[in-house]
Amino acid sequence: MAAQFVQHIKRHNIVLKRELGEGAFGKVFLAECYNLCPEQDKILVAVKDIWSTSSRKRFFSGATDKSAGCEEL
């Protein structure tokens, strides 16, 4: 099995395209992620934007692209 790693994604490399859904803890967006995989300029990912339970303050949670073999970040 190949070694897996977690890569830090800078916020400026994520471009939100549209909202996919919303739940009790936040929203999920379709987004384009740049500079994630060396083989592609950009890939589509899902980004979870969640709220803190104490203040409903929003903060960036992460991006996932299962179709390209990348794991949740």
Side-chain angles (χ1 to χ4, degrees):
M1 186 158 119
Q4 299 209 3
F5 65 94
V6 175
Q7 177 180 338
H8 177 76
I9 300 173
K10 294 183 169 120
R11 182 69 185 225
H12 69 270
N13 287 331
I14 299 287
V15 177
L16 300 179
K17 300 310 267 181
R18 67 180 173 94
E19 184 179 322
L20 296 175
E22 181 175 357
F25 298 105
K27 296 180 179 183
V28 176
F29 295 90
L30 176 67
E32 293 174 337
C33 182
Y34 293 85
N35 304 317
L36 182 62
C37 296
E39 303 85 31
Q40 297 174 294
D41 178 45
K42 65 181 177 182
I43 59 174
L44 293 177
V45 296
V47 175
K48 187 188 304 181
D49 185 23
I50 61 176
W51 297 292
S52 165
T53 56
S54 61
S55 66
R56 304 275 301 171
K57 179 181 175 186
R58 297 172 64 191
F59 63 96
F60 177 71
S61 177
T64 303
D65 178 36
K66 299 293 186 185
S67 65
C70 298
E71 294 296 317
E72 187 170 339
L73 305 173

